[in-house]
Amino acid sequence: MNNTESKILGINASWFISIAILVLMLAGLYYDVIIKMAAQWIDDPNNSHGFLVPLISLYLLWEKRKELKGVDIVPSNFGLPVLVLGILLLVVGSIAAELFTM
């Protein structure tokens, strides 16, 4: 990374834009699932802890931010099978109308 690259919140702008695009794509894919899960969390007291999971995850990321900042980001194809499996589970869950699988 050279010194002339722009930064957003101290992060390389191209990396920030890549993450933003990924988040938007995931939100688009999982929009219906998220809405249905939130409705289930509201209606079923056994699942009401679901609202805490993203908050706790964000807290843990915040606590590890210094360690994570020092990690070198190295491209790898290892995530491709995980991505394909996740999309496959979304499709199978949609066909079976199974919220947990989606």
Side-chain angles (χ1 to χ4, degrees):
M1 178 171 85
N2 60 33
N3 292 333
T4 61
E5 290 183 355
S6 61
K7 296 197 177 235
I8 300 171
L9 301 173
I11 301 171
N12 180 328
S14 63
W15 185 85
F16 187 83
I17 291 169
S18 298
I19 295 297
I21 290 170
L22 178 64
V23 167
L24 288 173
M25 289 172 55
L26 284 172
L29 273 175
Y30 286 93
Y31 176 77
D32 289 336
V33 176
I34 293 169
I35 297 299
K36 290 175 186 174
M37 283 177 53
Q40 186 175 19
W41 295 343
I42 290 170
D43 293 338
D44 186 356
N46 292 321
N47 294 320
S48 62
H49 66 280
F51 288 112
L52 295 176
V53 173
L55 298 175
I56 293 170
S57 300
L58 288 172
Y59 170 76
L60 292 174
L61 283 172
W62 180 257
E63 285 294 311
K64 297 286 185 178
R65 70 187 180 279
K66 290 179 184 173
E67 289 178 45
L68 293 171
K69 201 177 224 182
V71 174
D72 290 333
I73 298 174
V74 181
S76 171
N77 289 331
F78 179 71
L80 190 58
V82 175
L83 181 66
V84 170
L85 180 62
I87 292 172
L88 181 64
L89 282 173
L90 177 63
V91 170
V92 169
S94 296
I95 292 170
E98 175 59 39
L99 185 60
F100 179 75
T101 305
M102 289 190 287

